[in-house]
Amino acid sequence: MNAAPRTLILLRHAKSDYPPGVADHDRPLAKRGIREAGLAGDWLRANAPTIDRVLCSTATRTRNTLERTGIDAAVSYLDELYDAMPGTVIAAINTVGHDVGTLLVIGHEPTMSSVALGLAGAAGTDAAVAQQISEKFPTSGIAVLRVSGGWADVEPGSGALVGFHVPR
């Protein structure tokens, strides 16, 4: 039985600030990041109107990004998404229930680009999008992949990388 295609959205956190004496995990968004996170939310609502679930790093800047997007969905804040290897992100995706049609993952670089490019390869992958992501996945960047089957079936090469947007 083949499930309906699912949408995986990978969002790099918005531009963060670097206040003196603040640990990396606790850095907040910069003024530019606050604005761009709102623009990311606008884009997401226009292009992925139903986001069923969010997996978000516990870092302050990822949490602030989610808050500023205004996305209203069930959220799991996962410590393992901070400073994660791509396989760790994929393992988290693999735990998502079959009732989720669109999943948003909010994390960090260089992981988000590695996950997007690692999962890409299925029919429908846009080579120009993959090239753009390989060159730079800036803050607030949004990669969109289509995956077939269940979330437990997501593995390298199983997704079609179909879009990339940088809200500015």
Side-chain angles (χ1 to χ4, degrees), residues 43 126 129 132-133 142-145 160-165:
W43 188 89
D126 186 326
V129 169
Q132 185 181 5
I133 289 173
I142 303 167
V144 180
L145 295 103
L161 181 61
V162 297
F164 187 62
H165 178 72

Side-chain angles (χ1 to χ4, degrees), residues 4 6-7 10 12-13 15 31 33 47 52-54 59 61 70 79 85 102 106 132 148:
R6 299 173 190 281
T7 302
L10 304 174
R12 181 181 177 194
H13 65 78
K15 179 71 177 165
K31 286 182 183 178
N47 294 278
D52 302 305
R53 180 89 186 275
V54 179
R61 60 192 176 272
D79 287 327
M85 298 300 292
T102 300
I106 305 175
Q132 185 181 5
S148 297

Side-chain angles (χ1 to χ4, degrees), residues 19 21 41 75 78 80 83 145 162:
V75 181
L78 304 174
E80 60 266 26
D83 201 23
L145 295 103
V162 297

Side-chain angles (χ1 to χ4, degrees), residues 1 4 7-8 10 12 25-26 30 33 44 48 50 52 54 66 87 102 110 121-122 124 131 144 152 158 166:
M1 181 167 148
T7 302
L8 173 62
L10 304 174
R12 181 181 177 194
H25 186 274
D26 301 326
L44 288 166
T50 302
D52 302 305
V54 179
L66 175 58
T102 300
Q131 180 62 37
V144 180
S158 68
V166 181

Side-chain angles (χ1 to χ4, degrees), residues 7-143:
T7 302
L8 173 62
I9 302 169
L10 304 174
L11 170 61
R12 181 181 177 194
H13 65 78
K15 179 71 177 165
S16 59
D17 201 357
Y18 294 87
V22 175
D24 182 74
H25 186 274
D26 301 326
R27 290 190 294 118
L29 294 181
K31 286 182 183 178
R32 183 180 111 193
I34 291 168
R35 182 180 65 79
E36 290 174 358
L39 293 173
D42 293 343
W43 188 89
L44 288 166
R45 276 186 296 285
N47 294 278
T50 302
I51 294 176
D52 302 305
R53 180 89 186 275
V54 179
L55 303 180
C56 184
S57 161
T58 56
T60 299
R61 60 192 176 272
T62 53
R63 295 171 72 102
N64 290 163
T65 297
L66 175 58
E67 177 184 322
R68 293 292 180 164
T69 65
I71 298 300
D72 183 22
V75 181
S76 295
Y77 295 100
L78 304 174
D79 287 327
E80 60 266 26
L81 294 183
Y82 174 73
D83 201 23
M85 298 300 292
T88 302
V89 175
I90 294 169
I93 291 167
N94 292 154
T95 68
V96 173
H98 67 286
D99 58 325
V100 173
T102 300
L103 175 66
L104 172 63
V105 179
I106 305 175
H108 309 268
E109 265 300 277
T111 307
M112 291 292 94
S113 61
S114 295
V115 171
L117 295 172
L119 292 178
T125 292
D126 186 326
V129 169
Q131 180 62 37
Q132 185 181 5
I133 289 173
S134 72
E135 291 170 5
K136 187 171 186 181
F137 198 120
T139 53
S140 299
I142 303 167

